[in-house]
Amino acid sequence: MSALGTRVSFWTAGAVVALALWTSACPTMTYPLYQSQWGVSTTTITWIFAAYPITLIPVLVLLGDLSDHIGRRASILWGLSAELAGVLLFALADDVSWLLVGRALMGLGVGLSISPASVAMVEFSAPGQEKRAGAASTAVSALGIGLAMVVGGALTQYAPHPVHLHFFVLAGVIALVAAMVTRLPRHTRDEATGPWRVRPLSIPRGSRLVFLAGALAFASSFLLGAIVLPLGAKIAQQLAGSTNSLVTGALLAVFAACITLFALSARCLHVWLLVTLGAAGSITAVWLYFLTGTTHSLGLFFVASAVAGAAYAFDFAGGLTVFNRYAAPHHRAGMVSAGYLVGYIAQGVGAPALGAVVTAHGLMTGLMTGAIAFGVLFLAALTAGLTVLAPLHKAERRTSRLAAASPKPSGVEARSS
């Protein structure tokens, strides 16, 4: 079987990233059904959601650089197999234990596939196109979230077997993309040459401060997801007054649509500006969700979802661009995996903690707690963008201007030297 061309390989890797986010968000529209039909509490819902990042974290710690050694294709295929198994468990589930195991398998699968797929998008791009790959990765991530909301909302509202059918559809898409992945090149140019062994992720000493700035931005997008994905449908229905699952899904899809729109514009912005705009937008979004509850306004919920989508796009693209631009090629997958690790730790702690507050004290108290607690990290990301990335950008521009201004040797002098 012949390998795919570079352009098709790029978009096949992008489809894997989209599937990872679709898989991550796929139960969003069925969480209210688990609560109404199965009697599941909000705390249990957020633990089901958190089983995904909790499982994914050790995968990233122990296997984060696996694809640097065994190849992007092999790691992606292992990941898609685990995702498929997890989604099928949701499709066949009849109690919470199936959901917990299914989410754990989804976490395993995404942990094995998303970093190598993100890196493969860079490797199948032209040299110097890291920002384009980062923007495209963010856009296809948004597509995955949007499909989870719209397809899940439509099937939940209008199709038979609303608790199960969406997951069978997703399983079929995963199988189709896996067939495409088998035609990717077995190895790519930036893989490591030494043998692989289980070892913790490590960041080279000279890259740690800039990695921290990127990781704070990246984690900010995951904390926004910790509000929108497990609680978004509940906010829309309980606080904003939506009574139709498709309408709720469409409102939540505004979040994904704005991620796509602003991810494309992210290609035109410097990385420090991406990070600072993302942090400021994240702070604004969480307080807008809180205000949605005080006004009971679907319109304000729409605005909150749009701002959250824009902030997510800048946070995610900014962090990913930092990792891809400043990592050595043979450490790139490890650095991206470390970024995902920080993001999923934030999400794995933040989501259940928020769910516990909502269960004990109500949704409004939970939203206010999230706005305050998550806002601390958003503020740290804003500070890092201004104090670490902005000066680095200025230094790079100064170096470029000096290089452009330096006299070039004439042809005769160059030949005689």
Side-chain angles (χ1 to χ4, degrees):
M1 184 182 296
S2 60
L4 300 175
T6 300
R7 186 175 181 83
V8 178
S9 294
F10 176 89
W11 288 113
T12 299
V16 175
V17 174
L19 274 179
L21 274 295
W22 187 352
T23 301
S24 171
C26 64
T28 297
M29 300 310 302
T30 51
Y31 285 141
L33 295 182
Y34 297 140
Q35 292 190 276
S36 62
Q37 296 181 14
W38 295 7
V40 177
S41 70
T42 300
T43 299
T44 301
I45 289 295
T46 51
W47 274 111
I48 293 168
F49 175 81
Y52 163 87
I54 288 171
T55 305
L56 194 149
I57 287 166
V59 175
L60 291 174
V61 170
L62 299 176
L63 306 177
D65 67 342
L66 177 65
S67 75
D68 281 332
H69 297 268
I70 70 170
R72 314 295 182 217
R73 185 178 76 176
S75 184
I76 290 170
L77 285 173
W78 279 108
L80 289 177
S81 298
E83 285 179 33
L84 180 60
V87 169
L88 286 174
L89 280 177
F90 265 73
L92 301 171
D94 57 9
D95 63 43
V96 169
S97 62
W98 288 60
L99 304 181
L100 289 168
V101 176
R103 284 297 278 174
L105 284 169
M106 291 176 188
L108 172 63
V110 172
L112 288 172
S113 64
I114 194 167
S115 292
S118 298
V119 173
M121 292 183 74
V122 175
E123 293 172 340
F124 292 125
S125 300
Q129 294 296 312
E130 296 90 352
K131 187 180 291 187
R132 172 181 177 270
S137 180
T138 308
V140 296
S141 298
L143 175 63
I145 295 172
L147 288 169
M149 304 302 182
V150 175
V151 175
L155 295 178
T156 298
Q157 184 68 36
Y158 297 112
H161 312 295
V163 178
H164 303 285
L165 185 58
H166 177 203
F167 303 106
F168 281 115
V169 171
L170 176 56
V173 177
I174 292 173
L176 179 62
V177 172
M180 292 291 291
V181 171
T182 61
R183 298 182 59 195
L184 289 177
R186 186 178 297 272
H187 296 286
T188 55
R189 64 180 184 270
D190 290 334
E191 293 169 16
T193 56
W196 178 80
R197 58 185 174 84
V198 176
R199 54 192 167 193
L201 290 171
S202 63
I203 304 300
R205 188 179 301 274
S207 301
R208 289 176 185 173
L209 186 60
V210 72
F211 169 78
L212 176 62
L216 286 170
F218 210 52
S220 296
S221 68
F222 283 78
L223 283 180
L224 283 176
I227 294 177
V228 176
L229 299 182
L231 298 178
K234 188 178 182 72
I235 296 168
Q237 293 173 1
Q238 186 172 318
L239 299 182
S242 175
T243 58
N244 182 289
S245 293
L246 180 57
V247 171
T248 299
L251 286 168
L252 289 171
V254 170
F255 171 69
C258 286
I259 295 175
T260 302
L261 176 64
F262 285 92
L264 296 175
S265 67
R267 297 173 57 183
C268 305
L269 300 176
H270 298 299
V271 65
W272 75 271
L273 190 56
L274 286 176
V275 170
T276 53
L277 287 175
S282 298
I283 294 170
T284 303
V286 290
W287 284 107
L288 284 174
Y289 277 120
F290 175 76
L291 289 175
T292 295
T294 64
T295 61
H296 301 286
S297 167
L298 273 177
L300 191 56
F301 181 83
F302 177 93
V303 174
S305 297
V307 174
Y312 184 106
F314 291 149
D315 289 333
F316 193 96
L320 199 59
T321 302
V322 169
F323 304 145
N324 283 322
R325 174 178 292 180
Y326 297 110
H330 59 285
H331 287 300
R332 188 174 284 144
M335 195 158 174
V336 171
S337 293
Y340 276 108
L341 171 64
V342 174
Y344 280 117
I345 287 175
Q347 194 175 76
V349 173
L354 198 59
V357 174
V358 170
T359 299
H361 303 289
L363 187 54
M364 284 297 296
T365 301
L367 288 175
M368 183 174 66
T369 301
I372 295 170
F374 294 178
V376 172
L377 187 137
F378 301 152
L379 186 59
L382 178 63
T383 303
L386 293 173
T387 61
V388 176
L389 298 177
L392 188 62
H393 169 67
K394 289 179 182 177
E396 290 174 341
R397 288 188 64 185
R398 187 164 52 249
T399 301
S400 298
R401 284 198 301 266
L402 290 173
S406 60
K408 302 294 188 297
S410 66
V412 175
E413 290 170 335
R415 284 191 296 270
S416 63
S417 60

